[in-house]
Amino acid sequence: MQESMMDNIQLEDKNLTIDEIMRLYGQDILQLVFAYVKDKPIAEDLTQEIFIKCYKYLHTYKHESKIKTWIYRIAINHCKDHLKSWYHKNVMVTQDESYPIRREDKSVEEEVIQRSEDGELIQAVMALPTKYRELIYLFYFEEMQLKEIAEVTKQNVNTIKTRLRRAKAILQEKLGG
């Protein structure tokens, strides 16, 4: 699995390591960041900043958690810092664009139906408060286990379970399910 491969990489060659991290997790981190900030150019900028942080602090990675968990923690904290920042509170976002979710080959009809359903789901997820949106993203889109989500978000597993249950209820209500 890619995770164990990354955990075994020697940290001596930072350039090769960060290139590999960006290759493996770049798109996932970008989508995670977009789930927080809801703006493509800002998400791209923040993602670059996150990987710069990863490069700068790569020597602090102690193998106490998976490299993926370490990167996601950096990304989530960076997003939360951005959301608290003056820039976010005082600059109006004018773009409403979403990143497509990866999908397998489908017929044109299936693709159109799927895009419509995806659009509704993405809108509903993006309308959730941040504390719920991050859990939905990590659980369903990144397929993280509850324990991993708790570790990344630095929350209690029971808190994660409760918030995930509330988020699902809100989404069901919004989507008429």
Side-chain angles (χ1 to χ4, degrees):
M1 173 166 226
Q2 69 183 21
E3 191 66 45
S4 59
M5 180 181 80
M6 281 304 304
D7 287 335
N8 292 327
I9 289 178
Q10 295 296 320
L11 296 179
E12 296 163 351
D13 190 347
K14 285 174 71 171
N15 291 333
L16 286 176
T17 303
I18 203 68
D19 285 347
E20 186 69 4
I21 289 171
M22 288 170 60
R23 186 183 68 74
L24 291 173
Y25 303 111
Q27 185 64 32
D28 294 338
I29 295 298
L30 180 60
Q31 289 177 321
L32 172 68
V33 172
F34 183 79
Y36 275 90
V37 299
K38 303 179 188 181
D39 181 84
K40 185 178 178 180
I42 291 173
E44 290 169 345
D45 290 346
L46 291 175
T47 300
Q48 287 179 353
E49 292 170 12
I50 288 162
F51 284 112
I52 290 169
K53 270 188 181 180
C54 288
Y55 180 81
K56 185 176 179 181
Y57 295 105
L58 197 55
H59 67 280
T60 67
Y61 175 61
K62 305 291 185 207
H63 298 280
E64 293 169 356
S65 62
K66 293 178 181 177
I67 190 96
K68 181 178 180 179
T69 303
W70 181 76
I71 294 165
Y72 272 68
R73 188 177 301 135
I74 290 170
I76 288 170
N77 288 338
H78 195 72
C79 289
K80 287 179 178 180
D81 289 345
H82 172 77
L83 293 176
K84 292 180 205 171
S85 72
W86 177 91
Y87 177 85
H88 175 71
K89 291 178 180 175
N90 294 293
V91 176
M92 183 174 290
V93 176
T94 59
Q95 185 175 356
D96 185 35
E97 190 173 334
S98 61
Y99 279 100
I101 297 170
R102 298 178 203 134
R103 53 178 67 90
E104 301 82 42
D105 290 335
K106 296 180 181 181
S107 73
V108 174
E109 286 178 347
E110 290 172 326
E111 186 69 26
V112 169
I113 292 168
Q114 187 65 50
R115 283 186 186 200
S116 174
E117 291 171 355
D118 286 352
E120 289 177 42
L121 178 59
I122 289 170
Q123 281 185 318
V125 170
M126 296 305 271
L128 290 172
T130 303
K131 66 182 180 181
Y132 299 134
R133 190 169 59 239
E134 77 180 350
L135 297 181
I136 292 292
Y137 181 81
L138 294 173
F139 188 76
Y140 289 104
F141 295 99
E142 290 302 321
E143 299 177 354
M144 286 186 165
Q145 300 296 319
L146 294 175
K147 185 178 176 184
E148 263 185 303
I149 295 171
E151 189 175 337
V152 167
T153 60
K154 296 184 179 180
Q155 298 286 325
N156 181 298
V157 175
N158 289 328
T159 302
I160 299 301
K161 288 178 186 177
T162 301
R163 286 183 180 175
L164 195 55
R165 205 172 17 252
R166 286 181 188 155
K168 287 179 192 178
I170 293 168
L171 285 175
Q172 282 181 332
E173 185 178 309
K174 286 184 179 188
L175 297 172

